Amino acid sequence: MRYLIPILLLLAAAWYFTTGFRVGVVTFTPTTMINANGKATYNLRSFEERKQVGLIGTCTVKSGLATVRLLRPDGTQADGKECPPGGPWSITVQDKGISGNYRAVIEYRNFNGKIELNELPPGK
């Protein structure tokens, strides 16, 4: 039992230095991240041609960088934004294109800060 706490602390440290901590789900709640690396992918669906699809939100960055990209169903990039240190920054990535499954990809590079994204309401 006395080895359990040091082992848990070592595992938490290894987790922190490899992927960082993420608390919350980015598209539903404000998410505070500490040294986050890697990427998160979210699917967005457009049912009709020329209807608006995308994400809107804010980010506040203490250090590192977060990049938000919106990919069309064919895999090409429709829009993208970076969150550099500072803020709070407003983020809007959107497209009015073909119907299908769009993907929002958020890449984190040593990201320390808070990010909140929500799906755009159905547009015109």
Side-chain angles (χ1 to χ4, degrees), residues 9-121:
L9 289 174
L10 285 173
L11 289 173
W15 182 30
Y16 171 79
F17 287 109
T18 56
T19 62
F21 292 122
R22 298 180 190 182
V23 179
V25 179
V26 172
T27 56
F28 299 115
T29 60
T31 305
T32 301
M33 298 184 190
I34 301 169
N35 195 38
N37 288 296
K39 65 171 98 171
T41 303
Y42 300 94
N43 292 319
L44 306 170
R45 179 84 175 139
S46 174
F47 292 102
E48 298 179 35
E49 299 279 328
R50 297 189 201 106
K51 292 291 180 179
Q52 179 175 300
V53 63
L55 297 174
I56 189 168
T58 60
C59 68
T60 304
V61 183
K62 293 180 182 172
S63 65
L65 185 68
T67 305
V68 181
R69 292 188 175 98
L70 181 65
L71 303 176
R72 292 184 180 107
D74 63 2
T76 60
Q77 182 172 323
D79 198 1
K81 296 285 171 72
E82 282 191 347
C83 290
W89 306 109
S90 175
I91 304 170
T92 304
V93 290
Q94 61 186 349
D95 189 40
K96 287 185 178 181
I98 59 176
S99 63
N101 290 318
Y102 285 76
R103 286 187 311 138
V105 179
I106 307 165
E107 292 182 31
Y108 305 102
R109 285 171 280 195
N110 299 323
F111 180 79
N112 290 297
K114 182 186 267 186
I115 189 166
E116 178 179 9
L117 296 173
N118 295 300
E119 191 172 349
L120 282 171

